[in-house]
Amino acid sequence: MLQRHARRGGVRLSRAALVGGVETGGTRVRCLVGAGPDDVRAETTVPTTTPAETLGRVVEFFRAHAGRIAAVGAACFGPIDLDRGSPTFGRITTTPKPGWGGADVVGALRTLSVPVAFDTDVNGAALGEYRWGAGRGVDPFVYVTVGTGVGGGAIVGGRPVHGLVHPEMGHVPIARDAGDTFAGACPYHGGCLEGLASGVALRERWGAAPETLPAEHDAWRLQARYLALGVAVIAAVLSPSRIVLGGGVMRAPGLLARVRAETARALAGYVRAPDLVPPALGERAGVLGAIALGQALLTEHGYNSVR
Amino acid sequence: MLQRHARRGGVRLSRAALVGGVETGGTRVRCLVGAGPDDVRAETTVPTTTPAETLGRVVEFFRAHAGRIAAVGAACFGPIDLDRGSPTFGRITTTPKPGWGGADVVGALRTLSVPVAFDTDVNGAALGEYRWGAGRGVDPFVYVTVGTGVGGGAIVGGRPVHGLVHPEMGHVPIARDAGDTFAGACPYHGGCLEGLASGVALRERWGAAPETLPAEHDAWRLQARYLALGVAVIAAVLSPSRIVLGGGVMRAPGLLARVRAETARALAGYVRAPDLVPPALGERAGVLGAIALGQALLTEHGYNSVR
């Protein structure tokens, strides 16, 4: 891979070109200049306050490295507009986060005068893990994050999947357990995967922060069951050999092992269960995925980009 | 597309090269020599009896066209072994169809001394519709067939998706309607999509052949509801802008319109529903997909093939 090159605008750029990566999260924004996990030249974190202040500081950070970086990749919380034909391409759309509805992430980064790649935070994390982490060589590959919400990103043929919108794996309909009367935390669907198994759902259902629920609490049996149904759905539609399960909720002791056991139960031997593994890149998966998005822009066509 | 060419073994082959396509179904096998729906040179149908007799007649048909065809594509009922590294690659595996377990479909076709592409019947139909039918320009694109069983094929980046196994969309877990006490027709999962909404499930649940159930029968309300949940699952995982719903059960009058309405209800406005449309190629989708599989073998790498 590192030996592949492409010609773009007359400049010979290596696959491992230095680029800027930015992961825009709900509480903090990670910025990195580098070419991968083993070649990080600079890194910073900026708190997510207002779009003007936050994106201003991001651009300022990258401007200090102007001339070294050949592109910027952005992996952004959403929903975001990924439709290149849309007048609001590159913006956050309808987020409940105050002030961020309509924030023009790509517009801010374009002021750096390098090509900008743009995708969701989860697709970024999926691409990062696919390129350098637990998803290497896995095609199709799926990354699911279970945190405040539940999201997923799919990499097929080396590229994040985009369709009508970015896939919203958190919103798969899920069969409730008999006797589960919790209304669900999703305002749209109630009992979708996010509605039943997100960090918010856990907190609302049990009236306690998930990290305070002991390992023997019934919450974790049910949590493992619902996540396993989500895994079974993904296995049925995409059949990945491996799925990374990340996000804060997945750090609960023993949860991953219970999800594996419940997945085997849900699939009932009809197909082999995908390997379920934790992320290998930890909290850097998203920003490293943004680096990969930026690099892909320099060597391939077809990613979301503006020039 | 028709103007794209590739060089293979020193012979210049057009994208629209004449190839053989074979769709191996449970009751009949369709064979076609051609380059697409507008260029069919020969066509035949062979009843599915024993593997020796049926595959013998298929090979005999194509042998009459030897010298004209540059490859053969096979779209085959399953489960089948698509793992090129496996000693049973190219065979049907554990089908309940008497005599067909272990049948060596690719082995039979290799006697024609041309490259052989191999995929599932549903991936074939998906590829056929993607190439020439209702899925043109749709990426990702999903084809779902609702007949005796329920199956699905996904095309991403122009290629059928393969993972651990071929995707088994029929086996997605589905949330039952309150009050639905039918055990389900799937021996593995009971209430998966296939277990609740296949032709077999309809027959077992209502004690009548689906085509005899009148349009106002409650069967169709429930059927539309379950198929809509399957569509919602696919929308959440892959976000296709269009899904083709084919197969015998979908020919029930008014069913497609009811599935559209139930899908809108299931998605609840969170994301736009994919367009749900009937197949454009009718019963030829699979065999034309087999033609596309064979053609892809001549112009691209990465499809399942032996040489």
Side-chain angles (χ1 to χ4, degrees):
Chain A
M1 292 270 269
L2 295 173
Q3 278 66 53
R4 278 178 59 192
H5 289 78
R7 203 165 273 280
R8 168 86 65 197
V11 184
R12 195 170 159 83
L13 294 161
S14 98
R15 174 89 171 180
L18 274 192
V19 302
V22 50
E23 185 200 9
T24 312
T27 56
R28 73 183 73 79
V29 177
R30 291 171 190 275
C31 304
L32 192 150
V33 171
D38 299 329
D39 185 2
V40 174
R41 308 292 176 94
E43 200 167 5
T44 193
T45 300
V46 171
T48 306
T49 56
T50 64
E53 183 181 34
T54 303
L55 296 175
R57 289 183 62 182
V58 168
V59 169
E60 191 184 325
F61 169 75
F62 287 121
R63 207 179 294 285
H65 300 277
R68 302 171 78 193
I69 57 175
V72 172
C76 187
F77 73 88
I80 60 177
D81 188 345
L82 289 174
D83 176 1
R84 274 168 282 188
S86 156
T88 56
F89 168 73
R91 292 175 184 261
I92 294 171
T93 56
T94 55
T95 179
K97 194 165 174 60
W100 284 82
D104 189 0
V105 176
V106 168
L109 296 170
R110 286 184 80 172
T111 63
L112 294 163
S113 305
V114 291
V116 179
F118 187 53
D119 213 319
T120 65
D121 49 358
V122 194
N123 272 349
L127 189 63
E129 289 287 338
Y130 173 78
R131 181 81 186 276
W132 292 297
R136 272 178 287 187
V138 181
D139 185 10
F141 169 67
V142 173
Y143 176 103
V144 174
T145 179
V146 188
T148 310
V150 177
I155 309 293
V156 179
R159 292 169 177 232
V161 173
H162 300 121
L164 249 185
V165 292
H166 35 90
E168 289 284 352
M169 297 194 200
H171 293 274
V172 290
I174 289 289
R176 277 166 190 280
D177 252 34
D180 177 11
T181 57
F182 175 57
C186 172
Y188 292 91
H189 314 108
C192 62
L193 182 58
E194 175 161 302
L196 294 176
S198 67
V200 169
L202 278 168
R203 187 182 297 264
E204 288 185 8
R205 180 198 291 278
W206 304 107
E211 59 274 21
T212 66
L213 297 169
E216 67 277 12
H217 196 287
D218 194 51
W220 300 114
R221 182 195 60 78
L222 202 58
Q223 181 71 5
R225 171 76 182 149
Y226 289 146
L227 292 176
L229 288 173
V231 167
V233 158
I234 293 165
V237 176
L238 273 175
S239 197
S241 63
R242 183 175 294 173
I243 298 175
V244 167
L245 295 177
V249 171
M250 288 311 301
R251 287 197 284 268
L255 179 57
L256 183 58
R258 295 182 83 154
V259 177
R260 288 190 187 116
E262 289 286 347
T263 297
R265 204 182 127 208
L267 295 175
Y270 182 75
V271 292
R272 212 182 84 207
D275 293 335
L276 302 177
V277 300
L281 301 176
E283 300 200 331
R284 263 187 176 171
V287 72
L288 286 169
I291 292 286
L293 282 169
Q295 289 176 339
L297 200 57
L298 301 171
T299 52
E300 294 175 44
H301 296 277
Y303 275 39
N304 268 318
S305 63
V306 290
R307 280 160 194 288
Chain B
M1 291 268 269
L2 296 175
Q3 278 66 53
R4 278 177 59 192
H5 290 77
R7 202 165 272 281
R8 166 88 64 196
V11 185
R12 196 170 158 84
L13 295 160
S14 95
R15 174 88 171 181
L18 275 192
V19 303
V22 49
E23 185 200 9
T24 313
T27 55
R28 73 184 71 81
V29 177
R30 291 171 190 276
C31 303
L32 192 149
V33 171
D38 299 328
D39 185 3
V40 174
R41 308 293 176 94
E43 200 167 6
T44 194
T45 300
V46 170
T48 306
T49 57
T50 65
E53 183 180 36
T54 304
L55 295 175
R57 289 184 61 183
V58 167
V59 168
E60 191 184 325
F61 169 76
F62 286 121
R63 208 180 293 285
H65 301 276
R68 301 171 79 194
I69 57 175
V72 171
C76 188
F77 73 88
I80 60 178
D81 188 345
L82 289 173
D83 176 1
R84 274 168 282 188
S86 158
T88 56
F89 168 73
R91 291 176 185 261
I92 293 172
T93 57
T94 56
T95 178
K97 193 164 176 60
W100 283 82
D104 189 0
V105 176
V106 167
L109 296 170
R110 285 184 80 172
T111 63
L112 294 164
S113 305
V114 292
V116 179
F118 187 53
D119 214 319
T120 66
D121 49 358
V122 193
N123 272 349
L127 189 63
E129 289 287 338
Y130 173 78
R131 181 80 186 276
W132 292 298
R136 271 179 289 188
V138 180
D139 185 9
F141 169 66
V142 173
Y143 176 101
V144 174
T145 178
V146 189
T148 310
V150 178
I155 309 293
V156 179
R159 293 169 176 233
V161 173
H162 300 121
L164 250 187
V165 292
H166 34 91
E168 289 284 353
M169 295 193 201
H171 293 273
V172 291
I174 288 288
R176 276 167 190 280
D177 251 35
D180 177 11
T181 57
F182 175 58
C186 172
Y188 292 90
H189 313 107
C192 63
L193 182 58
E194 176 160 301
L196 294 175
S198 66
V200 169
L202 279 167
R203 187 181 298 264
E204 289 187 8
R205 180 198 290 279
W206 304 106
E211 59 274 21
T212 66
L213 297 169
E216 66 277 12
H217 195 288
D218 195 50
W220 300 114
R221 182 195 59 77
L222 203 57
Q223 180 71 5
R225 171 74 182 152
Y226 288 147
L227 292 176
L229 288 173
V231 167
V233 158
I234 293 165
V237 176
L238 272 176
S239 196
S241 63
R242 182 176 295 172
I243 297 174
V244 167
L245 294 177
V249 171
M250 288 310 302
R251 287 197 283 269
L255 179 57
L256 182 59
R258 294 180 84 152
V259 177
R260 288 190 187 115
E262 288 287 347
T263 298
R265 203 181 128 208
L267 296 176
Y270 183 74
V271 292
R272 212 181 85 205
D275 292 337
L276 302 177
V277 300
L281 302 176
E283 299 199 333
R284 263 187 176 170
V287 72
L288 286 168
I291 293 285
L293 283 168
Q295 289 176 339
L297 202 57
L298 302 171
T299 52
E300 292 176 47
H301 297 275
Y303 274 39
N304 269 318
S305 62
V306 290
R307 277 160 195 289

